[in-house]
């Protein structure tokens, strides 16, 4: 395989904070020309068997996926896992523990929003959560748009849900070392998600990449819906500096909210090693039509 295949290795379904089912996502990915797909729900692998079956029904190859929430240097960092055994007990337990604090956090977000006059937000957000164990800020954002408090979800984040705003509740997620270890020991590859999003200084970013490598991390997202073209170049250089494989993924959540659709981003820069080259043995191949090799 090469950098030129259409791989989309980052998106979300109703099993976390997306609005489409795994089957709807697979159909959309295939319609957009995706050849190798991964569903990467936040802190969840409950959709993996459905996603793989749906990918194969569409004739797409599949890599198992997840996106683990990690606290690093006081900031939430996301680590994508790819190509692991979806039935691995340690990974399942680690993800269950990571999800564990979400309901309590969501109740606190609801309480804080009530103090600024927005009532019923916890119950409202819960109605949007396809998975009650995975109530996310995204579900609050959708409820606040429905309630007419804001015009769109990014306005809700800007005004209410980020640090320093009235509905922000700090939370401690998994450690970087644990997240990488759960993924690796389940046979998969750990990948730093959308590194440009964290707002790190050069020193903090260097620490993230160095510690990630020390823990056994092997990849970084270079071409993602969260990066600008200038950032593709920045992180292509960093991937080479740290000898990391490169990944590509839209981070698609919803037809109404996401500005990047499945499968439409540019290819990875040709000098990089794509993660799917290192994961060739972990790809779950679509059944070939009978009569062909
Ligand atoms: P949580 O895991 O509950 O903290 O929610 C994080 C999710 O919120 C991310 O995965 C994104 O889907 C979404 N998100 C974060 N920041 C923004 C933003 N500025 N605008 C829209 N969605 C955002
Ligand atoms: Mn999300
Ligand atoms: Mn993310
Ligand atoms: Mn994501």
């Amino acid at each position: 395989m090469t950098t030129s295949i259409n791989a989309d290795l980052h998106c979300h379904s109703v099993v976390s904070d997306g609005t489409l089912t795994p089957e709807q996502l697979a159909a959309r990915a295939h319609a957009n020309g995706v050849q190798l797909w991964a569903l990467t729900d936040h802190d969840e692998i409950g959709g993996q068997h459905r996603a793989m079956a749906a990918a194969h029904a569409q004739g797409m190859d599949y890599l198992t996926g997840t996106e683990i929430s990690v606290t690093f240097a006081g900031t939430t960092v996301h680590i994508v896992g790819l190509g692991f055994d979806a039935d691995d007990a340690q990974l399942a337990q680690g993800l269950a523990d990571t999800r564990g604090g979400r309901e309590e956090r969501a109740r606190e977000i609801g309480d804080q929003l009530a103090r600024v006059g927005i009532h019923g937000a916890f119950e409202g957000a819960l109605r949007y959560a396809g998975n009650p164990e995975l109530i996310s800020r995204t579900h609050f954002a959708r409820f606040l748009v429905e309630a007419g408090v804001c015009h769109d979800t990014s306005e809700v984040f800007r005004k209410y849900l980020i640090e320093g705003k009235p509905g922000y509740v700090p939370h401690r997620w998994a450690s970087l070392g644990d997240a990488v270890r759960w993924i690796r020991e389940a046979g998969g590859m750990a990948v730093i998600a959308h590194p440009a999003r964290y707002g790190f200084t050069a020193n903090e970013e260097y620490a993230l990449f160095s510690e990630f490598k020390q823990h056994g991390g092997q990849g970084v997202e270079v071409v993602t819906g969260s990066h600008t073209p200038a950032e593709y170049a920045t992180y292509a250089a960093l991937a080479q500096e740290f000898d990391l494989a490169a990944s590509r993924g839209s981070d698609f959540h919803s037809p109404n909210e996401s500005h990047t659709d499945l499968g439409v981003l540019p290819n990875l820069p040709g000098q990089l090693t794509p993660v799917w080259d290192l994961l060739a043995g972990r790809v779950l191949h679509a059944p070939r039509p009978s009569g062909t090799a």
Side-chain angles (χ1 to χ4, degrees):
M1 284 185 274
T2 68
T3 51
S4 66
I5 76 157
N6 191 339
D8 193 322
L9 305 181
H10 191 147
C11 68
H12 300 274
S13 77
V14 291
V15 175
S16 62
D17 62 347
T19 62
L20 301 185
T21 62
E23 292 77 15
Q24 289 169 324
L25 286 166
R28 191 176 181 103
H30 180 251
N32 287 355
V34 173
Q35 296 160 287
L36 174 64
W37 179 53
L39 171 67
T40 56
D41 279 311
H42 296 286
D43 307 325
E44 254 292 8
I45 50 176
Q48 290 304 305
H49 287 288
R50 276 173 72 184
M52 183 201 60
H56 288 177
Q58 299 286 345
M60 291 185 295
D61 290 340
Y62 189 74
L63 278 167
T64 55
T66 187
E67 181 178 22
I68 306 182
S69 311
V70 159
T71 301
F72 180 84
T75 297
T76 300
V77 164
H78 287 168
I79 300 296
V80 164
L82 296 171
F84 50 79
D85 171 5
D87 298 316
D88 184 83
Q90 177 179 254
L91 176 61
Q93 187 60 52
L95 295 177
D97 292 345
T98 306
R99 287 195 299 275
R102 278 186 180 267
E103 179 176 336
E104 195 185 329
R105 168 193 187 230
R107 288 187 188 279
E108 281 180 47
I109 293 174
D111 291 347
Q112 291 203 18
L113 290 173
R115 274 181 230 128
V116 294
I118 300 164
H119 297 281
F122 171 74
E123 293 74 15
L126 195 56
R127 276 195 280 112
Y128 279 89
N131 174 358
E133 280 186 40
L134 211 292
I135 181 161
S136 142
R137 283 183 293 161
T138 315
H139 301 117
F140 281 90
R142 291 185 185 135
F143 170 70
L144 264 64
V145 172
E146 176 202 76
V149 177
C150 291
H151 292 295
D152 59 34
T153 53
S154 47
E155 185 187 350
V156 181
F157 275 89
R158 229 172 27 249
K159 292 189 173 163
Y160 294 102
L161 299 179
I162 58 175
E163 202 168 345
K165 300 299 173 180
Y168 179 76
V169 173
H171 193 70
R172 178 156 286 280
W173 303 105
S175 73
L176 180 64
D178 280 347
V180 174
R181 186 169 53 82
W182 298 333
I183 294 164
R184 280 180 63 86
E185 291 184 1
M189 182 193 290
V191 177
I192 299 172
H194 43 62
R197 281 246 304 258
Y198 307 127
F200 281 148
T201 63
N203 281 345
E204 288 167 338
E205 186 165 77
Y206 190 88
L208 171 65
F209 276 65
S210 306
E211 290 185 33
F212 175 73
K213 284 279 289 189
Q214 282 162 17
H215 289 301
Q218 292 175 285
V220 60
E221 288 186 340
V222 170
V223 175
T224 130
S226 300
H227 285 178
T228 63
E231 288 163 346
Y232 304 160
T234 303
Y235 290 97
L238 222 54
Q240 291 194 294
E241 181 184 340
F242 281 88
D243 192 24
L244 291 167
S247 194
R248 172 185 190 261
S250 56
D251 208 353
F252 181 81
H253 282 70
S254 159
N256 302 322
E257 296 161 12
S258 298
H259 52 83
T260 305
D261 207 336
L262 289 151
V264 303
L265 286 169
N267 288 335
L268 289 172
Q271 73 274 22
L272 302 178
T273 302
V275 293
W276 50 90
D277 276 7
L278 302 187
L279 287 166
R282 308 293 306 176
V283 172
L284 302 163
H285 290 283
R288 303 290 167 218
S290 56
T292 60

